[in-house]
Amino acid sequence: MSFDEIEKSRQRGSGEQSFLFRYGPNSDDVRGLTTAAEDFTVDLPVFGETSFEAVPIFMSAIVDTGSRERSSVTISLPDTDPLIDLFRDYPPSYVVGVTVFEHHAGDGELRVVWSGKVLSYNSGDYDAELRCEPIQSSLQRPGLRRRWQRSCPHALYSTA
């Protein structure tokens, strides 16, 4: 069955979400997490063979209000996940991008439903929250793309 047929079905229409985090310039700087019951591997067009690990992860509802500032989402995952180590001491050197996919168990057909970047990190007792904004909001905002800066990424007296 195709994605659309399963989605329209009353019995089989329960979907799962998968999250792909890109945190560096290399092809190995990605981490896939999923709400599915088991780990799986899928061939993605840009990243090639990508593994998604089953973890208890939750995303707030995607709300399209028409206002770019209010369309952020919050992703909650365990504080012990290796992805959280990127944020624990210092902010990461690169922008951490997030792509959210929806799919059904066993169909292997992932559909992109949301794409953006991580803005902030907040740690609780047992879980961590990543606040993310859609990629469109940062593309339309003039000025610096980063909201934090450890040191200037440009060389002194360079063309940049």
Side-chain angles (χ1 to χ4, degrees):
M1 277 186 143
S2 71
F3 182 89
D4 292 330
E5 290 172 351
I6 294 172
E7 192 68 22
K8 291 175 186 174
S9 169
R10 289 181 186 249
Q11 289 80 21
R12 301 187 66 199
S14 61
E16 297 170 343
Q17 290 181 326
S18 293
F19 302 84
L20 185 67
F21 293 91
R22 300 172 312 279
Y23 52 87
N26 301 326
S27 60
D28 295 341
D29 295 336
V30 295
R31 175 141 171 84
L33 303 174
T34 184
T35 61
E38 297 178 357
D39 299 351
F40 66 92
T41 302
V42 68
D43 187 22
L44 295 175
V46 176
F47 300 101
E49 202 73 19
T50 306
S51 297
F52 288 88
E53 183 181 341
V55 296
I57 187 169
F58 174 77
M59 183 177 84
S60 63
I62 300 170
V63 179
D64 188 14
T65 61
S67 173
R68 290 187 304 272
E69 293 80 23
R70 295 190 184 138
S71 57
S72 64
V73 298
T74 302
I75 299 174
S76 300
L77 64 155
D79 197 27
T80 57
D81 194 274
L83 180 70
I84 299 303
D85 291 340
L86 290 172
F87 302 95
R88 204 170 301 280
D89 294 329
Y90 298 105
S93 300
Y94 293 93
V95 173
V96 179
V98 182
T99 304
V100 180
F101 302 95
E102 280 189 354
H103 57 93
H104 299 100
D107 70 356
E109 192 175 342
L110 276 67
R111 301 276 176 110
V112 176
V113 294
W114 193 86
S115 181
K117 65 180 184 176
V118 176
L119 289 181
S120 65
Y121 153 77
N122 187 17
S123 179
D125 290 336
Y126 302 105
D127 63 342
E129 291 184 351
L130 302 174
R131 193 171 68 82
C132 308
E133 76 172 356
I135 196 69
Q136 297 89 354
S137 63
S138 65
L139 292 177
Q140 295 176 358
R141 185 175 35 243
L144 293 173
R145 299 279 187 233
R146 297 182 193 163
R147 293 186 183 215
W148 49 266
Q149 185 170 345
R150 185 83 178 129
S151 63
C152 183
H154 303 292
L156 186 62
Y157 303 115
S158 72
T159 57

PDB file of all heavy atoms in Angstrom, residues 101-128:
ATOM      1  N   PHE A 101       9.958  13.941   9.553  1.00  0.00           N
ATOM      2  CA  PHE A 101       9.295  13.090   8.567  1.00  0.00           C
ATOM      3  C   PHE A 101       8.105  12.403   9.212  1.00  0.00           C
ATOM      4  O   PHE A 101       8.127  12.115  10.404  1.00  0.00           O
ATOM      5  CB  PHE A 101      10.248  11.995   8.061  1.00  0.00           C
ATOM      6  CG  PHE A 101      11.508  12.489   7.431  1.00  0.00           C
ATOM      7  CD1 PHE A 101      12.671  12.600   8.167  1.00  0.00           C
ATOM      8  CD2 PHE A 101      11.542  12.831   6.093  1.00  0.00           C
ATOM      9  CE1 PHE A 101      13.843  13.045   7.598  1.00  0.00           C
ATOM     10  CE2 PHE A 101      12.710  13.281   5.504  1.00  0.00           C
ATOM     11  CZ  PHE A 101      13.860  13.381   6.260  1.00  0.00           C
ATOM     12  N   GLU A 102       7.091  12.106   8.417  1.00  0.00           N
ATOM     13  CA  GLU A 102       6.001  11.242   8.842  1.00  0.00           C
ATOM     14  C   GLU A 102       6.007  10.020   7.950  1.00  0.00           C
ATOM     15  O   GLU A 102       6.309  10.102   6.751  1.00  0.00           O
ATOM     16  CB  GLU A 102       4.649  11.953   8.755  1.00  0.00           C
ATOM     17  CG  GLU A 102       4.386  12.866   9.912  1.00  0.00           C
ATOM     18  CD  GLU A 102       2.964  13.403   9.932  1.00  0.00           C
ATOM     19  OE1 GLU A 102       2.201  13.153   8.974  1.00  0.00           O
ATOM     20  OE2 GLU A 102       2.629  14.095  10.891  1.00  0.00           O
ATOM     21  N   HIS A 103       5.679   8.869   8.534  1.00  0.00           N
ATOM     22  CA  HIS A 103       5.654   7.611   7.780  1.00  0.00           C
ATOM     23  C   HIS A 103       4.797   6.617   8.535  1.00  0.00           C
ATOM     24  O   HIS A 103       4.324   6.884   9.633  1.00  0.00           O
ATOM     25  CB  HIS A 103       7.070   7.075   7.581  1.00  0.00           C
ATOM     26  CG  HIS A 103       7.820   6.857   8.855  1.00  0.00           C
ATOM     27  ND1 HIS A 103       7.845   5.660   9.514  1.00  0.00           N
ATOM     28  CD2 HIS A 103       8.548   7.710   9.614  1.00  0.00           C
ATOM     29  CE1 HIS A 103       8.575   5.765  10.612  1.00  0.00           C
ATOM     30  NE2 HIS A 103       9.004   7.008  10.706  1.00  0.00           N
ATOM     31  N   HIS A 104       4.607   5.464   7.932  1.00  0.00           N
ATOM     32  CA  HIS A 104       3.867   4.370   8.555  1.00  0.00           C
ATOM     33  C   HIS A 104       4.809   3.195   8.745  1.00  0.00           C
ATOM     34  O   HIS A 104       5.779   3.039   8.007  1.00  0.00           O
ATOM     35  CB  HIS A 104       2.676   3.973   7.690  1.00  0.00           C
ATOM     36  CG  HIS A 104       1.708   5.089   7.499  1.00  0.00           C
ATOM     37  ND1 HIS A 104       1.668   5.848   6.364  1.00  0.00           N
ATOM     38  CD2 HIS A 104       0.760   5.599   8.328  1.00  0.00           C
ATOM     39  CE1 HIS A 104       0.737   6.768   6.485  1.00  0.00           C
ATOM     40  NE2 HIS A 104       0.166   6.638   7.668  1.00  0.00           N
ATOM     41  N   ALA A 105       4.539   2.390   9.730  1.00  0.00           N
ATOM     42  CA  ALA A 105       5.413   1.256  10.047  1.00  0.00           C
ATOM     43  C   ALA A 105       5.540   0.321   8.855  1.00  0.00           C
ATOM     44  O   ALA A 105       4.548  -0.162   8.318  1.00  0.00           O
ATOM     45  CB  ALA A 105       4.860   0.502  11.247  1.00  0.00           C
ATOM     46  N   GLY A 106       6.766   0.118   8.429  1.00  0.00           N
ATOM     47  CA  GLY A 106       7.041  -0.859   7.382  1.00  0.00           C
ATOM     48  C   GLY A 106       6.869  -0.396   5.956  1.00  0.00           C
ATOM     49  O   GLY A 106       7.180  -1.145   5.036  1.00  0.00           O
ATOM     50  N   ASP A 107       6.385   0.818   5.701  1.00  0.00           N
ATOM     51  CA  ASP A 107       6.186   1.203   4.300  1.00  0.00           C
ATOM     52  C   ASP A 107       7.440   1.801   3.673  1.00  0.00           C
ATOM     53  O   ASP A 107       7.574   1.815   2.459  1.00  0.00           O
ATOM     54  CB  ASP A 107       4.987   2.140   4.138  1.00  0.00           C
ATOM     55  CG  ASP A 107       5.206   3.527   4.704  1.00  0.00           C
ATOM     56  OD1 ASP A 107       6.252   3.776   5.306  1.00  0.00           O
ATOM     57  OD2 ASP A 107       4.315   4.371   4.532  1.00  0.00           O
ATOM     58  N   GLY A 108       8.390   2.306   4.473  1.00  0.00           N
ATOM     59  CA  GLY A 108       9.647   2.836   3.945  1.00  0.00           C
ATOM     60  C   GLY A 108       9.518   4.123   3.156  1.00  0.00           C
ATOM     61  O   GLY A 108      10.430   4.530   2.469  1.00  0.00           O
ATOM     62  N   GLU A 109       8.379   4.765   3.241  1.00  0.00           N
ATOM     63  CA  GLU A 109       8.120   5.992   2.485  1.00  0.00           C
ATOM     64  C   GLU A 109       8.011   7.156   3.456  1.00  0.00           C
ATOM     65  O   GLU A 109       7.001   7.342   4.112  1.00  0.00           O
ATOM     66  CB  GLU A 109       6.819   5.816   1.695  1.00  0.00           C
ATOM     67  CG  GLU A 109       6.584   6.863   0.664  1.00  0.00           C
ATOM     68  CD  GLU A 109       5.338   6.544  -0.164  1.00  0.00           C
ATOM     69  OE1 GLU A 109       4.883   5.394  -0.168  1.00  0.00           O
ATOM     70  OE2 GLU A 109       4.831   7.471  -0.790  1.00  0.00           O
ATOM     71  N   LEU A 110       9.083   7.941   3.578  1.00  0.00           N
ATOM     72  CA  LEU A 110       9.109   9.070   4.503  1.00  0.00           C
ATOM     73  C   LEU A 110       8.702  10.350   3.786  1.00  0.00           C
ATOM     74  O   LEU A 110       9.187  10.625   2.683  1.00  0.00           O
ATOM     75  CB  LEU A 110      10.510   9.250   5.095  1.00  0.00           C
ATOM     76  CG  LEU A 110      10.870   8.400   6.309  1.00  0.00           C
ATOM     77  CD1 LEU A 110      10.958   6.947   5.950  1.00  0.00           C
ATOM     78  CD2 LEU A 110      12.140   8.870   6.928  1.00  0.00           C
ATOM     79  N   ARG A 111       7.823  11.122   4.403  1.00  0.00           N
ATOM     80  CA  ARG A 111       7.373  12.398   3.852  1.00  0.00           C
ATOM     81  C   ARG A 111       7.810  13.522   4.782  1.00  0.00           C
ATOM     82  O   ARG A 111       7.582  13.456   5.982  1.00  0.00           O
ATOM     83  CB  ARG A 111       5.849  12.431   3.734  1.00  0.00           C
ATOM     84  CG  ARG A 111       5.249  11.353   2.881  1.00  0.00           C
ATOM     85  CD  ARG A 111       5.292  11.772   1.434  1.00  0.00           C
ATOM     86  NE  ARG A 111       4.816  10.723   0.570  1.00  0.00           N
ATOM     87  CZ  ARG A 111       3.670  10.765  -0.095  1.00  0.00           C
ATOM     88  NH1 ARG A 111       2.875  11.794   0.041  1.00  0.00           N
ATOM     89  NH2 ARG A 111       3.336   9.782  -0.894  1.00  0.00           N
ATOM     90  N   VAL A 112       8.420  14.565   4.238  1.00  0.00           N
ATOM     91  CA  VAL A 112       8.839  15.713   5.034  1.00  0.00           C
ATOM     92  C   VAL A 112       7.605  16.533   5.401  1.00  0.00           C
ATOM     93  O   VAL A 112       6.822  16.910   4.532  1.00  0.00           O
ATOM     94  CB  VAL A 112       9.851  16.590   4.262  1.00  0.00           C
ATOM     95  CG1 VAL A 112      10.203  17.832   5.051  1.00  0.00           C
ATOM     96  CG2 VAL A 112      11.100  15.803   3.930  1.00  0.00           C
ATOM     97  N   VAL A 113       7.445  16.799   6.710  1.00  0.00           N
ATOM     98  CA  VAL A 113       6.316  17.613   7.165  1.00  0.00           C
ATOM     99  C   VAL A 113       6.771  18.930   7.785  1.00  0.00           C
ATOM    100  O   VAL A 113       5.979  19.864   7.885  1.00  0.00           O
ATOM    101  CB  VAL A 113       5.417  16.852   8.170  1.00  0.00           C
ATOM    102  CG1 VAL A 113       4.730  15.698   7.503  1.00  0.00           C
ATOM    103  CG2 VAL A 113       6.200  16.404   9.373  1.00  0.00           C
ATOM    104  N   TRP A 114       8.025  19.006   8.205  1.00  0.00           N
ATOM    105  CA  TRP A 114       8.518  20.235   8.823  1.00  0.00           C
ATOM    106  C   TRP A 114      10.032  20.263   8.727  1.00  0.00           C
ATOM    107  O   TRP A 114      10.692  19.234   8.831  1.00  0.00           O
ATOM    108  CB  TRP A 114       8.081  20.290  10.288  1.00  0.00           C
ATOM    109  CG  TRP A 114       8.260  21.620  10.936  1.00  0.00           C
ATOM    110  CD1 TRP A 114       7.397  22.656  10.914  1.00  0.00           C
ATOM    111  CD2 TRP A 114       9.381  22.050  11.723  1.00  0.00           C
ATOM    112  NE1 TRP A 114       7.905  23.718  11.633  1.00  0.00           N
ATOM    113  CE2 TRP A 114       9.128  23.355  12.139  1.00  0.00           C
ATOM    114  CE3 TRP A 114      10.571  21.455  12.098  1.00  0.00           C
ATOM    115  CZ2 TRP A 114      10.008  24.092  12.916  1.00  0.00           C
ATOM    116  CZ3 TRP A 114      11.465  22.168  12.878  1.00  0.00           C
ATOM    117  CH2 TRP A 114      11.170  23.481  13.273  1.00  0.00           C
ATOM    118  N   SER A 115      10.596  21.456   8.543  1.00  0.00           N
ATOM    119  CA  SER A 115      12.043  21.619   8.478  1.00  0.00           C
ATOM    120  C   SER A 115      12.413  22.937   9.146  1.00  0.00           C
ATOM    121  O   SER A 115      11.735  23.941   8.954  1.00  0.00           O
ATOM    122  CB  SER A 115      12.506  21.621   7.021  1.00  0.00           C
ATOM    123  OG  SER A 115      13.894  21.750   6.958  1.00  0.00           O
ATOM    124  N   GLY A 116      13.470  22.903   9.929  1.00  0.00           N
ATOM    125  CA  GLY A 116      13.877  24.115  10.621  1.00  0.00           C
ATOM    126  C   GLY A 116      15.226  23.962  11.282  1.00  0.00           C
ATOM    127  O   GLY A 116      16.037  23.136  10.868  1.00  0.00           O
ATOM    128  N   LYS A 117      15.448  24.768  12.323  1.00  0.00           N
ATOM    129  CA  LYS A 117      16.719  24.715  13.039  1.00  0.00           C
ATOM    130  C   LYS A 117      16.470  24.873  14.531  1.00  0.00           C
ATOM    131  O   LYS A 117      15.468  25.449  14.963  1.00  0.00           O
ATOM    132  CB  LYS A 117      17.679  25.774  12.544  1.00  0.00           C
ATOM    133  CG  LYS A 117      17.236  27.193  12.818  1.00  0.00           C
ATOM    134  CD  LYS A 117      18.241  28.177  12.305  1.00  0.00           C
ATOM    135  CE  LYS A 117      17.834  29.593  12.665  1.00  0.00           C
ATOM    136  NZ  LYS A 117      18.816  30.556  12.280  1.00  0.00           N
ATOM    137  N   VAL A 118      17.406  24.367  15.342  1.00  0.00           N
ATOM    138  CA  VAL A 118      17.302  24.442  16.788  1.00  0.00           C
ATOM    139  C   VAL A 118      17.755  25.823  17.244  1.00  0.00           C
ATOM    140  O   VAL A 118      18.829  26.286  16.878  1.00  0.00           O
ATOM    141  CB  VAL A 118      18.169  23.349  17.457  1.00  0.00           C
ATOM    142  CG1 VAL A 118      18.128  23.482  18.974  1.00  0.00           C
ATOM    143  CG2 VAL A 118      17.719  21.965  17.030  1.00  0.00           C
ATOM    144  N   LEU A 119      16.918  26.476  18.057  1.00  0.00           N
ATOM    145  CA  LEU A 119      17.244  27.796  18.590  1.00  0.00           C
ATOM    146  C   LEU A 119      17.803  27.724  19.993  1.00  0.00           C
ATOM    147  O   LEU A 119      18.763  28.412  20.321  1.00  0.00           O
ATOM    148  CB  LEU A 119      15.995  28.675  18.624  1.00  0.00           C
ATOM    149  CG  LEU A 119      15.449  29.167  17.321  1.00  0.00           C
ATOM    150  CD1 LEU A 119      14.237  30.041  17.569  1.00  0.00           C
ATOM    151  CD2 LEU A 119      16.502  29.934  16.565  1.00  0.00           C
ATOM    152  N   SER A 120      17.178  26.917  20.852  1.00  0.00           N
ATOM    153  CA  SER A 120      17.608  26.885  22.242  1.00  0.00           C
ATOM    154  C   SER A 120      17.427  25.496  22.830  1.00  0.00           C
ATOM    155  O   SER A 120      16.684  24.668  22.304  1.00  0.00           O
ATOM    156  CB  SER A 120      16.832  27.912  23.070  1.00  0.00           C
ATOM    157  OG  SER A 120      15.465  27.567  23.119  1.00  0.00           O
ATOM    158  N   TYR A 121      18.103  25.292  23.947  1.00  0.00           N
ATOM    159  CA  TYR A 121      18.107  24.020  24.654  1.00  0.00           C
ATOM    160  C   TYR A 121      17.762  24.280  26.111  1.00  0.00           C
ATOM    161  O   TYR A 121      18.250  25.224  26.719  1.00  0.00           O
ATOM    162  CB  TYR A 121      19.489  23.389  24.509  1.00  0.00           C
ATOM    163  CG  TYR A 121      19.903  22.462  25.621  1.00  0.00           C
ATOM    164  CD1 TYR A 121      19.392  21.183  25.702  1.00  0.00           C
ATOM    165  CD2 TYR A 121      20.805  22.871  26.589  1.00  0.00           C
ATOM    166  CE1 TYR A 121      19.785  20.327  26.711  1.00  0.00           C
ATOM    167  CE2 TYR A 121      21.204  22.025  27.606  1.00  0.00           C
ATOM    168  CZ  TYR A 121      20.680  20.747  27.662  1.00  0.00           C
ATOM    169  OH  TYR A 121      21.069  19.918  28.666  1.00  0.00           O
ATOM    170  N   ASN A 122      16.898  23.449  26.673  1.00  0.00           N
ATOM    171  CA  ASN A 122      16.528  23.558  28.077  1.00  0.00           C
ATOM    172  C   ASN A 122      16.493  22.155  28.663  1.00  0.00           C
ATOM    173  O   ASN A 122      15.839  21.269  28.120  1.00  0.00           O
ATOM    174  CB  ASN A 122      15.171  24.233  28.229  1.00  0.00           C
ATOM    175  CG  ASN A 122      14.827  24.513  29.669  1.00  0.00           C
ATOM    176  OD1 ASN A 122      15.687  24.499  30.541  1.00  0.00           O
ATOM    177  ND2 ASN A 122      13.554  24.765  29.919  1.00  0.00           N
ATOM    178  N   SER A 123      17.208  21.951  29.756  1.00  0.00           N
ATOM    179  CA  SER A 123      17.291  20.634  30.358  1.00  0.00           C
ATOM    180  C   SER A 123      16.407  20.553  31.590  1.00  0.00           C
ATOM    181  O   SER A 123      16.411  21.446  32.430  1.00  0.00           O
ATOM    182  CB  SER A 123      18.740  20.328  30.747  1.00  0.00           C
ATOM    183  OG  SER A 123      18.828  19.069  31.352  1.00  0.00           O
ATOM    184  N   GLY A 124      15.643  19.460  31.689  1.00  0.00           N
ATOM    185  CA  GLY A 124      14.814  19.209  32.859  1.00  0.00           C
ATOM    186  C   GLY A 124      15.420  18.101  33.698  1.00  0.00           C
ATOM    187  O   GLY A 124      16.613  17.791  33.594  1.00  0.00           O
ATOM    188  N   ASP A 125      14.604  17.475  34.547  1.00  0.00           N
ATOM    189  CA  ASP A 125      15.093  16.391  35.389  1.00  0.00           C
ATOM    190  C   ASP A 125      15.452  15.146  34.569  1.00  0.00           C
ATOM    191  O   ASP A 125      16.500  14.555  34.751  1.00  0.00           O
ATOM    192  CB  ASP A 125      14.040  16.018  36.439  1.00  0.00           C
ATOM    193  CG  ASP A 125      13.882  17.115  37.478  1.00  0.00           C
ATOM    194  OD1 ASP A 125      14.834  17.892  37.658  1.00  0.00           O
ATOM    195  OD2 ASP A 125      12.803  17.196  38.079  1.00  0.00           O
ATOM    196  N   TYR A 126      14.531  14.747  33.671  1.00  0.00           N
ATOM    197  CA  TYR A 126      14.745  13.523  32.903  1.00  0.00           C
ATOM    198  C   TYR A 126      14.722  13.744  31.396  1.00  0.00           C
ATOM    199  O   TYR A 126      15.087  12.855  30.644  1.00  0.00           O
ATOM    200  CB  TYR A 126      13.681  12.480  33.258  1.00  0.00           C
ATOM    201  CG  TYR A 126      13.676  12.146  34.718  1.00  0.00           C
ATOM    202  CD1 TYR A 126      12.683  12.623  35.551  1.00  0.00           C
ATOM    203  CD2 TYR A 126      14.690  11.380  35.264  1.00  0.00           C
ATOM    204  CE1 TYR A 126      12.680  12.328  36.901  1.00  0.00           C
ATOM    205  CE2 TYR A 126      14.702  11.084  36.618  1.00  0.00           C
ATOM    206  CZ  TYR A 126      13.694  11.552  37.432  1.00  0.00           C
ATOM    207  OH  TYR A 126      13.703  11.265  38.762  1.00  0.00           O
ATOM    208  N   ASP A 127      14.276  14.890  30.972  1.00  0.00           N
ATOM    209  CA  ASP A 127      14.202  15.136  29.537  1.00  0.00           C
ATOM    210  C   ASP A 127      14.791  16.502  29.195  1.00  0.00           C
ATOM    211  O   ASP A 127      15.023  17.331  30.058  1.00  0.00           O
ATOM    212  CB  ASP A 127      12.761  15.041  29.039  1.00  0.00           C
ATOM    213  CG  ASP A 127      11.860  16.097  29.664  1.00  0.00           C
ATOM    214  OD1 ASP A 127      12.241  16.662  30.700  1.00  0.00           O
ATOM    215  OD2 ASP A 127      10.786  16.341  29.110  1.00  0.00           O
ATOM    216  N   ALA A 128      15.054  16.679  27.917  1.00  0.00           N
ATOM    217  CA  ALA A 128      15.580  17.942  27.406  1.00  0.00           C
ATOM    218  C   ALA A 128      14.619  18.460  26.345  1.00  0.00           C
ATOM    219  O   ALA A 128      13.991  17.683  25.634  1.00  0.00           O
ATOM    220  CB  ALA A 128      16.964  17.743  26.819  1.00  0.00           C
TER     221      ALA A 128
END
